[in-house]
């Protein structure tokens, strides 16, 4: 390669490196790695495997030829992630186990003495011809192979399939190590987020523990909130925020005495006043944090009992003066309270729940929130199914006031 070409390649590689390190979403990152590497080597297809114990999980598959044929403008080929055992018999497995780059001229002409061979099943099923392959290990900063990048069918200017040039191997290798570090970071972020959510959830469950609600209430309520937010066109980030912040909506109940929180039957006006203060207490527990998530939680704690017509509490806010997160969580919370059994009442039938929600459109609830919820009712019912309470109660009992708290 000429010095000038090499310089250009390095600049290009640098740009890819920057793009990779700025993508923190694991799925999008893996997709980006394959598309950037394909772009860089000018090849028709590519895939990415992640190593998990003794398996390789096939995570991303892109194929321009197949995408063109099926008319999908995205180059992603639809498939469900699947795993293959980590052995030297597959090209990807061999790459992962040896940490070597394999550059194959023709996949159908691999010498029989090689450990690996090609599974032609994919080609047969899709009427595709895999010819040249460059299989590259994704080696992280500790020297561990965390996955494999496979580039398939390098193309020349006239779109003819050629062999991957030998001199591109080192540059692709360097791209792969940047990719490996980026993947590791994204995996770590995902893991931290999960731990974070888990902690929030457990703390919120502790707050609800004394109450008559169930821990599953928090999961469902948080998922419904995410669903509504998504339906209203929130960004992915904001959806995630509301999912993670909403479990703390009732954390202020920690400050409500048992005699009120656990009182069977109706609360007196005075007791109700105290019960209402779980919103302000929640917000003071969560106040003054630098964390954006805590700030959102604070906002939700204080505003999830406000009503659209101003008849809610604690601040009697109306309409759009109520923070959008509070409006979303209000519906999620009430839907769950109505549709789940509590020890003081059975679950209401769906029809009744929906008619109560409809009645609340514009009075209790923001109409846009109601629309987003009803548009996604099937998904909401799936969430309900997924996070069932352990003991479903049946039969009629004297209901205490429905409390969506
Ligand atoms: Fe509440
Ligand atoms: Fe609640």
């Amino acid at each position: 390669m000429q010095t000038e070409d090499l310089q250009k390649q390095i600049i290009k590689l640098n740009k890819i490196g920057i793009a990779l390190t700025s993508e923190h979403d694991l799925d999008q990152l893996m997709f980006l790695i394959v598309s950037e590497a394909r772009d860089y080597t000018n090849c028709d297809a590519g895939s990415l495997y992640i190593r998990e114990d003794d398996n390789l999980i096939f995570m991303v598959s892109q194929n321009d030829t197949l995408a063109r044929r099926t008319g999908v403008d995205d180059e992603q080929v639809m498939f469900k992630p699947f795993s293959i055992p980590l052995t030297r018999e597959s090209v990807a497995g061999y790459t992962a186990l040896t940490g070597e780059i394999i550059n194959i001229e023709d996949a159908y002409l691999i010498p029989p003495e090689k450990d690996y061979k090609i599974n032609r099943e994919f080609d047969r099923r899709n009427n595709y011809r895999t010819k040249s392959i460059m299989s590259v290990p994704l080696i992280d900063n500790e020297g561990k192979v965390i996955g494999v990048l496979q580039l398939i069918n390098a193309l020349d200017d006239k779109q003819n399939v050629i062999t991957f040039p030998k001199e591109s191997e080192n540059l692709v290798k360097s791209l792969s190590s940047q990719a490996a570090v980026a993947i590791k970071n994204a995996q770590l972020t995902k893991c931290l987020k999960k731990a974070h959510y888990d902690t929030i959830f457990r703390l919120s469950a502790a707050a609800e523990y004394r109450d008559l609600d169930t821990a599953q209430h928090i999961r469902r309520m948080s998922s419904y909130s995410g669903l509504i937010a998504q339906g209203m066109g929130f960004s992915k980030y904001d959806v995630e925020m509301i999912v993670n912040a909403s479990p703390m909506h009732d954390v202020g109940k920690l400050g409500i005495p048992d005699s009120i929180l656990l009182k069977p039957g109706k609360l007196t006006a005075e007791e109700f006043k105290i019960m209402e203060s779980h919103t302000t207490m929640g917000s003071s527990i969560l106040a003054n944090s630098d964390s954006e998530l805590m700030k959102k939680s604070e906002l939700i704690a204080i505003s999830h009992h406000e009503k659209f017509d101003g008849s809610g509490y604690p601040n009697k806010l109306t309409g759009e003066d109520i923070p959008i997160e509070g409006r979303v969580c209000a519906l999620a919370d009430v839907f769950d309270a109505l549709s789940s059994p509590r020890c003081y009442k059975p679950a209401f039938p769906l029809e009744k729940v929906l008619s109560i929600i409809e009645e609340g459109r514009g009075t209790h609830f923001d109409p846009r929130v109601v629309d987003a919820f009803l548009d996604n009712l099937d998904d909401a019912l799936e969430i309900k199914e997924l996070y069932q309470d352990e003991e479903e109660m049946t039969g009629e009992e004297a209901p205490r006031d429905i409390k969506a708290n």
Side-chain angles (χ1 to χ4, degrees), residues 48 101 247 323 330-331:
L48 192 141
I101 287 195
L331 178 51

Side-chain angles (χ1 to χ4, degrees), residues 217 249-250 333 405:
H217 161 65
H249 65 285
D250 275 340
D333 201 22
N405 39 38

Side-chain angles (χ1 to χ4, degrees), residues 73-85:
D73 40 351
D74 201 315
E75 68 268 80
Q76 172 83 7
V77 176
M78 287 303 153
F79 72 99
K80 285 206 174 96
F82 62 90
S83 72
I84 57 168

Side-chain angles (χ1 to χ4, degrees), residues 61-92:
S61 176
Q62 294 173 4
N63 188 309
D64 278 350
T65 300
L66 297 189
R68 263 196 307 273
R69 219 186 283 159
T70 51
V72 191
D73 40 351
D74 201 315
E75 68 268 80
Q76 172 83 7
V77 176
M78 287 303 153
F79 72 99
K80 285 206 174 96
F82 62 90
S83 72
I84 57 168
L86 186 58
T87 66
R88 293 167 80 97
E89 283 160 31
S90 66
V91 175

Side-chain angles (χ1 to χ4, degrees), residues 249-250 253 278-279 304-305 313 333 404-405:
H249 65 285
D250 275 340
K253 280 184 185 169
H278 80 275
T279 49
H304 71 282
H305 287 288
Y313 61 85
D333 201 22
N405 39 38

